[in-house]
């Protein structure tokens, strides 16, 4: 997770993960389908930066205040990412499931802004 947030553009690493050629490698099928539907629509349903839960961000503030905590149990894990962005506290949770030898992102939710990626409809 630190690679998504630390150094450089906060959204850049995540964009590479969700690119059409990579997404099946990093995300569970439900999110792969969501991203594909988002790609096909003229009016994006995911019209914000998932990693910062908004349109604008201050990568220096994010990097300075970034805290990451992981909870793992069996074939599931949750990574809680907390940071301040433009003076606002953010808490984003990444839910992972084990898929063979790899971990894949099953869902992403903002606990501070009350959205869950899997609940968006494109």
């Amino acid at each position: 997770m630190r690679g998504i947030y630390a150094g450089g553009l906060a959204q850049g690493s995540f964009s590479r993960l969700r690119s059409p050629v990579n997404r099946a490698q990093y995300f569970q099928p439900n999110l792969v389908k969501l991203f594909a539907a988002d790609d096909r629509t003229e009016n994006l349903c995911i019209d914000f930066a998932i990693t910062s839960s908004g349109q604008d961000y201050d990568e220096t503030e994010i990097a300075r205040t970034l805290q990451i905590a992981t909870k793992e149990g069996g074939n599931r894990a949750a990574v809680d990412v907390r940071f301040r962005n433009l003076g606002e506290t953010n808490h984003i949770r990444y839910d992972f499931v084990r898929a063979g030898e790899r971990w894949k992102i099953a869902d992403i939710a903002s606990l501070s802004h009350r959205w869950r990626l899997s609940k968006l409809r494109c």
Side-chain angles (χ1 to χ4, degrees):
M1 297 305 342
R2 190 163 296 281
I4 290 175
Y5 288 91
L9 183 63
Q11 182 67 7
S13 295
F14 189 81
S15 293
R16 284 189 296 279
L17 297 181
R18 79 169 261 193
S19 72
V21 297
N22 292 329
R23 61 179 60 138
Q25 184 177 355
Y26 298 104
F27 296 95
Q28 284 292 97
N30 64 319
L31 294 186
V32 171
K33 289 177 188 173
L34 176 67
F35 293 141
D38 188 51
D39 291 345
R40 288 189 304 272
T41 183
E42 189 172 304
N43 298 320
L44 299 175
C45 65
I46 305 172
D47 62 350
F48 59 93
I50 295 167
T51 56
S52 62
S53 194
Q55 296 290 344
D56 300 317
Y57 55 89
D58 178 344
E59 62 187 72
T60 302
E61 183 180 20
I62 291 171
R64 186 181 71 252
T65 60
L66 183 66
Q67 298 175 348
I68 299 172
T70 303
K71 298 175 222 159
E72 187 178 336
N75 289 330
R76 297 199 170 275
V79 177
D80 285 319
V81 179
R82 298 172 196 265
F83 57 90
R84 292 189 61 77
N85 180 35
L86 303 173
E88 184 176 289
T89 300
N90 285 271
H91 180 185
I92 299 176
R93 175 168 292 153
Y94 294 80
D95 294 320
F96 287 81
V97 294
R98 187 179 295 280
E101 296 295 314
R102 302 182 60 91
W103 287 95
K104 290 189 176 186
I105 299 172
D107 207 356
I108 303 171
S110 172
L111 303 180
S112 51
H113 292 102
R114 298 184 186 155
W115 57 260
R116 180 169 287 282
L117 202 54
S118 64
K119 300 292 183 191
L120 297 179
R121 297 292 170 243
C122 294

